[in-house]
Amino acid sequence: MTAYDDADIAALAERLLDRTLPKDQWTHAAHLAATLRLVRTRNEGLERDLPGIIRACNVAVGGVNDDHGGYHETITQAYLAAIRAFVADLPEGTSDARAAAALLASPLGDKAWPLTHWSRERLFSVEARRGWVEPDLAALPNPPAI
């Protein structure tokens, strides 16, 4: 598991926003830590803004956003909703570092977490990459507000 301090997490979020986060640092843990920070600092409208932020970052590091790679709407919105619920349950005053460590140690820290709600075929379909697709295995406890 990756350990981040508060400054690391703030830097991840800033580098995501300014599109300077190197591709090799854009890991699952970094996705979660940066999203946690964004939820805590600029939550309003994030379901609308985060897709463009991620797409722009992908392109800036030489990636693509197409039917087979890059930005994935269903995964992004599911994690955003889950991270919002996680943040809402944090004790007052919890640092970003402690929050991120707990988040990464939770089931959300496992890259396979979405597959507990979606079949592989449905989750990795072009439809799910381009837009929100409802889970077909188990309902999300905190569905996205989209």
Side-chain angles (χ1 to χ4, degrees), residues 25-37:
Q25 292 178 28
W26 193 219
T27 63
H28 179 68
H31 273 80
L32 298 185
T35 301
L36 176 119
R37 176 76 179 162

Side-chain angles (χ1 to χ4, degrees), residues 1 9 30 39 99 108 110 119 133:
M1 176 171 47
I9 295 167
V39 164
L108 295 172
D110 182 347
S119 63
V133 173

